[in-house]
Amino acid sequence: MTRLTPEDVGGLISNLDAFEAGLREIAGFGLRGIALRSVARAPVCVPLIGARLAAVPITSGEGIISGFADCVAVILGRLGCEAWVTAQPDVRGIQEAVAQGADVVFMADDHRFIALDLVHGRCIDDDPATADGYVTALEAAAGGSLLGRHVLLLGLGPVGRAAARRLVSYGAAVEVVEPDEARLQAALEVGLKIQPVDLAEGLSRCDLIFDATPEGGFIDAGDVTPLTIAAVPGLPSAFTASAQAVLGSRHIHEPLAIGVAVMAARALV
Ligand code: 2YG
C-alpha cells in the first residue's frame, strides 16, 4: 500500500478545484456525482448534506501524516458534510468524535483506511471504494457505458482486484497486466473473467486504461492516442509527465478524494 506524503495531501487540497473542474469536463459531474453513482446504479438518496463526519489522526506505526486528516475533512466538507478533525488522536479521538455527535469516523493506520459508520454499525474500506469510484469516473468519461469495451487494467493488488470485479460487472472486456504470477493465478482461480496480456499488446488494443499499480512513469506520450482515457488511482501515476500533458483531463488522477467521497456515501446510504 502506497503511503501518502504531506506533499501529496497538501497538493491535493490546493488542487481540488482544478481536479473537480477536470472531472466535470471529462465525466460530467464532480466528487458528489461520482460518490452517489458509485453506491447505486439508480438514483438513491444519500443524506450527505449536514451529515456529521469526523476524521481522527492515528499515531500508530509510522505515525501521523501531516495534513492527512485535515485533507479528509476538506474533501468531506466539499460534499456538503459537516466535517472536522478531532483535537485528540487515537482512541481519545474516537471517544471525542462520538461525544461530538459524529455519524461516521474516518481513520487510517499503516494498514487500513476506514470509515466507521456508527449509525448502521458498518466499516467501509478505502480500497474497494477507491476502485469503484474510479470505475464510475471511467464509465462516465467513456460515454456512460463500458459494455463490451476493452479496458486495460494495470495491477491486481487490493484496488486492482476490486476494480476488476466492478469492470466485469459493468460488462467490460478486462485485459490485465500483472507481472506477479501468483497474484494473476489467484485472481483467475476465483473466477474473475480477465484476460492476461503484456503491456504493449494491451496498449495497442485498449483506449481505456485503469492504473492500479504503485509503479510510476512507464507509459509515455507515444503510447497514448486521442481516444485514450485513463483512470489512475495508482500512486505514482503509470503515465509520464509528457503522457499526462497529452491526456489532460483524460488522465483522472489524485491521491485521496474519490476514495473518501465514495466511503462517505457508502457509510451514509
Ligand atoms: O492518521 C494519520 O495521519 C496516519 N496514521 C495516516 C496513515 C495513512 C497511511 N495510508 C496511506 O497513506 C494511503 N494508503 C491512504 C489511501 C490512499 C488512497 N487510496
Side-chain angles (χ1 to χ4, degrees), residues 1-4 57-58 63-65 68 108-109 113 126 130 255-256:
M1 176 189 337
T2 307
R3 184 177 171 81
L4 299 181
I58 301 294
I64 287 178
I65 299 172
F68 180 85
D109 65 9
F113 176 27
D126 171 55
T130 296
L256 204 53

Side-chain angles (χ1 to χ4, degrees), residues 15 20 33 39 43 49 52 61 90 92 95 98 107 112 124 136 141 151 162 179 186 191 195 204 209 212 250:
N15 190 44
E20 272 215 281
V39 291
I49 307 297
R52 294 182 56 73
D90 306 325
R92 286 166 294 161
Q95 194 177 31
V98 173
M107 57 190 131
R112 285 285 180 281
I124 312 295
T136 299
V151 177
Q195 174 61 44
S204 68
I209 301 172
R250 292 182 286 130

Side-chain angles (χ1 to χ4, degrees), residues 20 69 159 224 237 244 247 249:
E20 272 215 281
V159 172
V224 302
S237 169
Q244 292 181 36
L247 289 171
S249 62

